[in-house]
Amino acid sequence: MSRTGAVFLFLLGLLVAAPVHAQQRTPQPGATPSAGKPEKSAKPKKLSRKERRALAQRADIESMQMQKRPLSEKDRELSEAFFVDGLRYLMLEDYNKALERLLKAYALNPANAAINYKIAETNLLSGNLSDATNFAQTAVKLDPKNAYYYLLLAQIYSSQKQYDQAIKVYTTLIKDVPDSGNYLFNLADLYMAQGKLNEALSTFEQAEKKFGPIDEVSFKKQQIYLKQNNLDKALQEGEALIAANPDEIRYVLAQAQMYAANSRFPDAIRVAQQALQQDPSNPQARMILADVYRQQNNPQESQKQIKLAFESPGLDIDSKVRILIDYIKQLPNPALNQPALELAEITTRTHPKEAKAFSVAGDIQTITDNKPAARTSYLKALQLDNSKFQIWQQVVLIDAELNQVDSLLLHTDQALELFPNQASLWFYNGVAYMLKKQPTKGVKALEYGRKLATDNPELLAQFDTQLGDAYHELKDFAKSDAAYEAALVFDANNAQALNNYSYYLSLRGEKLDKAKEMAGKLVKQNPDNDTYLDTYGWVLYRLKDYTGARQQFELALKTTKDATVIEHYGDVLYQLGERDKALAEWQRAQKLGGASPLIDRKIKDKKLYE
């Protein structure tokens, strides 16, 4: 058995033995006991609760007194040495060694309150709440006038969510320990944490009677009244706070907010303007006014107040970002687009060194379809902090959407230096090289990125589609076809793969039936897309179905002025014998620009070349 266990068994034995010893009868002088005859005893008197408690306390004290024994000077010095050593390890947060030393001190001097207290504290810090409770209770019993012992015991009970026990400890502390009235505030807070609002309110009132009016107490009483839905009392307490502290603007703002939250709009405006008289640039007062005016359906005045709040140096960047994110959740919205853009501009102007200001401005500009401005904002954010991959991604997406190939190549190269394992950056880098007519570099980037996208089937299919285009440009048709096939395995309706695969097959004059099937499927799904109609028409042309091809080209020409489509239409007219019309279409295609290199010969010779 451990030493600690032996000590506890010894204590338990004493506690059990003590009452028996106390009940032994001692013969009174002159009394003659009756031999062999039991003495008739009077019926025991029933004890009151107070008397039972007093007896229990006396038994505890007697038990502890029995633990006390005279210490030799050597034992006393040894106990103190162990105690000091334990405190040293406790300060170093080495709880195992601290507890080992303190228990050695306890074995020599178990009735020492300070030793019990420190053992309890060490157990609390190390998570042994059961032992912490026992030793803290003993410390309190040994020295019932030491407030710190009560506080530790209350803390231990609270850690175990035994709030009723903690409340009892505070109550006893306040009643039994002199000059402990200040702990009324702790007791009231404990009541509040439990939701015992009436008890908390009563305790705060006790504290006010003892110490006089205290601002923080009034503020907490106000919160209790609000939780009790006693608005009048809460407002009354708030007005009293303001009257007692006319220069304390936080109470004015809290009162204005309370009026606003309860739709007391005239009072909210009055008190918020009172705050502005004290501090004309106070952003919280402006935001309260903005909310009130919004609820009163006065958007112009509401926006004016928000802008004034954003102009104030007192409104920090994080608060502004939170407000702007609330706007983002409601965008796009014709009524909010411009106000959001204006607030974003103020934010970047008043916080020119904050990356997050430009980032959130870029988000708002993106959603409201101001893409060039958004890219400028994102790039400014990256100048201040280039560590956010999401911002690089936004820049790259805008480059691609705006078809600004040089920017796309530049920004993907820059981003890949920081994030070489991001597959999407390799994808757009490959696309940029393809658009720059550098298919070899495009293939290299796409193949590398594809290896990083194996856990993302959708992105993998996009890589395969682009590789189909890239390998076609390199005239590696086997790899091109394989890439398209892989993309279509993931998504049989992949429009880009269906269109480009079928078109390139038609150019090569290979697998034309397969090309017809794919192009026909695409047109069926997208009957008004002129690009897809042109592809289907060209596949039919290569199959010598000139009538069918003409029909597709004429449908396409309803919505496009693309020179390639017009040239194709001229070709099919030529095949149908309408050569004058064919020449006119070729000439129209030539004038628009973008037709095939054969267009000049076709016009000069008035003859079809393929």
Side-chain angles (χ1 to χ4, degrees), residues 197-256:
L197 302 181
N198 289 329
E199 290 87 343
L201 198 57
S202 175
T203 305
F204 278 132
E205 287 171 352
Q206 283 182 264
E208 285 187 317
K209 287 178 183 177
K210 188 173 184 65
F211 299 104
I214 299 173
D215 293 347
E216 290 302 321
V217 170
S218 295
F219 190 75
K220 287 182 178 180
K221 285 171 63 181
Q222 188 181 50
Q223 303 311 304
I224 292 174
Y225 288 133
L226 286 174
K227 290 179 180 179
Q228 292 178 328
N229 294 317
N230 192 339
L231 180 61
D232 290 337
K233 276 277 193 182
L235 290 170
Q236 180 182 339
E237 200 74 38
E239 292 292 353
L241 271 171
I242 294 172
N245 303 272
D247 297 326
E248 190 65 70
I249 196 169
R250 63 184 175 125
Y251 296 138
V252 181
L253 293 170
Q255 189 78 347

Side-chain angles (χ1 to χ4, degrees), residues 217-337:
V217 170
S218 295
F219 190 75
K220 287 182 178 180
K221 285 171 63 181
Q222 188 181 50
Q223 303 311 304
I224 292 174
Y225 288 133
L226 286 174
K227 290 179 180 179
Q228 292 178 328
N229 294 317
N230 192 339
L231 180 61
D232 290 337
K233 276 277 193 182
L235 290 170
Q236 180 182 339
E237 200 74 38
E239 292 292 353
L241 271 171
I242 294 172
N245 303 272
D247 297 326
E248 190 65 70
I249 196 169
R250 63 184 175 125
Y251 296 138
V252 181
L253 293 170
Q255 189 78 347
Q257 185 63 59
M258 199 185 311
Y259 279 125
N262 290 278
S263 301
R264 299 271 291 269
F265 298 138
D267 287 320
I269 292 172
R270 170 181 60 81
V271 178
Q273 288 175 339
Q274 180 181 339
L276 289 172
Q277 289 174 2
Q278 294 177 244
D279 179 7
S281 65
N282 188 279
Q284 285 77 24
R286 297 290 182 190
M287 293 304 299
I288 292 169
L289 287 172
D291 185 54
V292 169
Y293 289 130
R294 178 187 60 79
Q295 293 187 67
Q296 289 184 322
N297 199 26
N298 187 347
Q300 291 80 13
E301 188 61 30
S302 177
Q303 183 64 15
K304 174 185 173 182
Q305 294 298 328
I306 293 176
K307 288 173 70 174
L308 288 170
F310 268 58
E311 293 281 4
S312 170
L315 190 62
D316 62 272
I317 179 62
D318 290 327
S319 297
K320 291 178 182 178
V321 167
R322 282 194 295 271
I323 294 168
L324 290 174
I325 288 173
D326 286 337
Y327 272 88
I328 287 172
K329 293 175 182 177
Q330 303 173 69
L331 299 177
N333 182 328
L336 295 177
N337 288 350

Side-chain angles (χ1 to χ4, degrees), residues 1-20:
M1 180 181 294
S2 69
R3 180 174 297 182
T4 304
V7 169
F8 277 118
L9 287 176
F10 175 67
L11 290 175
L12 182 60
L14 290 175
L15 289 171
V16 171
V20 176

Side-chain angles (χ1 to χ4, degrees), residues 499 522-523 526-535 552 555-556 559:
N499 182 73
L522 192 56
V523 166
N526 304 273
D528 299 322
N529 187 295
D530 48 58
T531 299
Y532 302 157
L533 288 167
D534 175 62
T535 296
Q552 299 304 315
L555 287 171
T559 57

